[in-house]
Amino acid sequence: AAVAMFTGKANCPYYAKAELLADYLQTNLPNFRVHKITQHPDKWEQWLHDICERNGWEHRQCPIIWRELLDRGGKGQLLGGLNDFLKYAQQYYGITSVMLSEEMLNIAEENLQAYLEIVKEDEEIKSLIKPMQIWITSASVPISYHLIPLLANGEVFGMTTEISIHLLDTDQFEEILRGIVMEAEDMAFPLLRSISEHTKIDQAFIDADIVIVLDDVLLNLEVQSRENYIREVSEICQVYASLIEKNAKSEVKVIASGKTFANLKATMLRTYGPSIRPENIIAVATSWESAAKAMLARKLHMNTAGVKDVIVWGNISGSNYIDLSHAKLCGYDCAIWGPPTFPRPLLNMIYDSEWICSELQSAQSALSSRVSRCAGMLPAHAVATVLRYWYHGSPSEEIISVGILSEGQFCIPEGIIFSMPVRFQNGNWTVVTELEINETTLKVLE
């Protein structure tokens, strides 16, 4: 099986004559197949040069015609230009073209107008398909590697939302970024429209819908002071904030994550990016929340998914407080039975009050070590979970801990980033202010 390939400039009269003859042959001969590729006049020379170089052909005229062997692969068989095709048609099929020059010019003009209309229509269709633009900073870190499949599989944004992922890092990590891009492309996610690496900081966050800040510092207070680390984090956030304001979409959502200075990153992005909506800058506390739930589940010999409403207060990657006063258990095997979603207060199920008072507090350091040492799956899942809730809502009866800009709730000073309980609904979040806070928690919050 073979097909004749015709390519030429949209306004070329010789291309018009060749394609009219080809159309006639295809209509009247059962085994003659034609495929036409019309090129814009401005792009023709480069296109011709590229295809000839790729196939080892010598041809400099318009049109170019070749036979493509459908069942053999490899390069096609070059027939040549218009005169070569006329000889081919005469020799094999006994058919010639008697089109006049004036008619050739008219058809060429019609071809150009039709081509421009098709191009315009294609551009209009493409403009309707707008993949969500997601930018990830410090994208060479393991969190990013684990996060990409979670974003691209459709569970976070929905099975009808296409996404484009942009990986941003410094020049020294360019090879790592390129490897991640190739691996993601190999996985062939249907909803991943594109994935690309970026090392030019001035081009960052163009048309961003979501910015995920993963930048961390290797915290070693024996090497330099905490103040220096804070200055380092603040400086990079200042750069990011100004670029987000300049390049990103007006409703951009910004998520601060990572193992260190989560609240500080959100604070600096808010400080240096005053035009970014304050409610669109959050710090992710879900890693701590999940790790605390797992620790409790191991104590109670139950499934981690059954532990609900553990609250993380305060500085997510610093001085925080894990509050169990509202925690519930679902599906816990005990004397009281109910539906799978029937909740029981966790503190009623743990009779070892000494463990609650002492072990849980000492477990904070163990949790901190666990969260900071994790290879990337846990924080990646945390970011993906918060994004899914942000776009599709969190479970109606559950509480999620998120670092947000305080407006004075729970007697927390206004204007600081503080982790507190929220619910996500309709693309927004609201603080769960109706919670009753006991005296112990209030003292700790102070």
Side-chain angles (χ1 to χ4, degrees):
V3 62
M5 305 290 292
F6 287 74
T7 301
K9 292 184 287 185
N11 63 345
C12 174
Y14 302 106
Y15 175 57
K17 184 168 184 173
E19 72 163 341
L20 199 68
L21 178 56
D23 288 342
Y24 177 82
L25 292 174
Q26 183 170 245
T27 303
N28 292 278
L29 299 173
N31 295 321
F32 190 87
R33 295 288 177 268
V34 174
H35 180 68
K36 291 178 277 188
I37 305 173
T38 306
Q39 294 292 332
H40 192 282
D42 296 341
K43 298 179 180 179
W44 165 252
E45 293 295 337
Q46 186 61 48
W47 191 92
L48 180 63
H49 173 271
D50 292 344
I51 196 165
C52 287
E53 187 175 83
R54 187 162 61 246
N55 291 288
W57 294 335
E58 286 290 334
H59 189 84
R60 294 291 176 266
Q61 301 169 338
C62 174
I64 180 171
I65 304 164
W66 71 93
R67 292 175 70 238
E68 195 80 59
L69 304 177
L70 298 182
D71 56 351
R72 297 188 189 179
K75 68 178 183 178
Q77 176 188 355
L78 179 66
L79 296 179
L82 173 62
N83 290 335
D84 300 297
F85 180 56
L86 292 175
K87 291 177 185 176
Y88 175 85
Q90 174 69 39
Q91 180 179 349
Y92 281 89
Y93 305 112
I95 297 173
T96 58
S97 172
V98 292
M99 187 190 300
L100 302 176
S101 298
E102 186 177 349
E103 188 179 0
M104 288 166 55
L105 292 171
N106 290 337
I107 293 176
E109 180 61 28
E110 289 177 9
N111 278 350
L112 178 60
Q113 294 305 316
Y115 172 79
L116 294 175
E117 287 177 12
I118 291 170
V119 168
K120 183 180 178 182
E121 186 177 316
D122 287 344
E123 288 175 352
E124 288 175 354
I125 292 172
K126 287 177 181 177
S127 71
L128 298 175
I129 304 172
K130 296 179 180 178
M132 186 175 290
Q133 305 292 328
I134 304 168
W135 284 77
I136 303 174
T137 72
S138 194
S140 64
V141 299
I143 301 173
S144 173
Y145 182 82
H146 290 284
L147 178 60
I148 290 167
L150 299 178
L151 298 177
N153 67 14
E155 293 183 9
V156 172
F157 304 107
M159 300 306 295
T160 59
T161 302
E162 292 189 337
I163 65 172
S164 289
I165 297 177
H166 304 267
L167 307 178
L168 177 67
D169 216 320
T170 55
D171 289 334
Q172 68 185 101
F173 297 109
E174 187 173 7
E175 284 300 316
I176 295 175
L177 295 184
R178 190 169 293 122
I180 295 173
V181 166
M182 292 179 67
E183 192 167 351
E185 290 173 341
D186 290 345
M187 294 176 78
F189 293 105
L191 296 173
L192 183 59
R193 171 62 69 86
S194 65
I195 181 168
S196 53
E197 74 268 15
H198 303 265
T199 55
K200 302 288 187 292
I201 189 67
D202 57 319
Q203 299 173 7
F205 314 127
I206 293 175
D207 291 331
D209 293 288
I210 298 168
V211 175
I212 302 168
V213 178
L214 300 181
D215 294 68
D216 264 324
V217 294
L218 188 60
L219 199 60
N220 186 346
L221 298 179
E222 294 180 0
V223 174
Q224 63 174 317
S225 68
R226 184 177 295 274
E227 287 71 22
N228 285 340
Y229 286 118
I230 289 173
R231 189 177 300 109
E232 183 181 329
V233 172
S234 300
E235 286 172 358
I236 189 63
C237 286
Q238 183 174 5
V239 173
Y240 288 163
S242 63
L243 288 168
I244 291 170
E245 286 188 309
K246 177 184 175 183
N247 295 335
K249 292 176 182 170
S250 60
E251 295 296 307
V252 62
K253 291 177 168 61
V254 184
I255 291 180
S257 184
K259 300 174 183 179
T260 57
F261 297 117
N263 288 44
L264 176 65
K265 284 180 277 191
T267 299
M268 292 297 100
L269 290 166
R270 172 75 192 100
T271 302
Y272 294 118
S275 69
I276 306 170
R277 289 181 62 191
E279 60 269 34
N280 279 6
I281 301 176
I282 66 173
V284 175
T286 320
S287 295
W288 275 91
E289 198 177 281
S290 299
K293 289 176 179 178
M295 181 187 69
L296 292 163
R298 283 189 285 268
K299 171 69 175 177
L300 296 165
H301 306 291
M302 65 174 293
N303 189 335
T304 304
V307 184
K308 311 288 185 183
D309 296 352
V310 173
I311 302 173
V312 178
W313 297 94
N315 189 358
I316 294 163
S317 51
S319 176
N320 61 45
Y321 173 61
I322 296 174
D323 179 8
L324 304 183
S325 61
H326 300 277
K328 302 178 183 67
L329 303 178
C330 294
Y332 182 53
D333 187 11
C334 68
I336 302 174
W337 285 77
T341 56
F342 177 67
R344 301 174 181 83
L346 179 140
L347 295 181
N348 291 357
M349 300 295 107
I350 298 181
Y351 299 105
D352 189 351
S353 58
E354 184 180 335
W355 183 85
I356 296 173
C357 295
S358 60
E359 292 295 320
L360 183 60
Q361 299 309 315
S362 63
Q364 291 268 140
S365 59
L367 276 176
S368 177
S369 177
R370 181 186 296 277
V371 171
S372 63
R373 285 202 319 268
C374 64
M377 281 194 294
L378 177 58
H381 180 264
V383 171
T385 299
V386 167
L387 276 172
R388 185 173 76 248
Y389 290 163
W390 210 342
Y391 279 86
H392 299 291
S394 55
S396 58
E397 299 302 318
E398 291 185 31
I399 294 170
I400 312 300
S401 301
V402 173
I404 58 172
L405 189 69
S406 167
E407 295 180 351
Q409 304 96 331
F410 309 110
C411 299
I412 298 164
E414 290 186 41
I416 62 172
I417 299 290
F418 201 89
S419 181
M420 61 182 80
V422 306
R423 288 194 180 100
F424 288 91
Q425 190 176 19
N426 300 325
N428 299 303
W429 51 261
T430 54
V431 179
V432 188
T433 52
E434 68 269 21
L435 283 182
E436 291 186 12
I437 306 301
N438 60 32
E439 287 186 18
T440 303
T441 302
L442 282 174
K443 286 179 181 177
V444 174
L445 295 188
E446 261 182 50

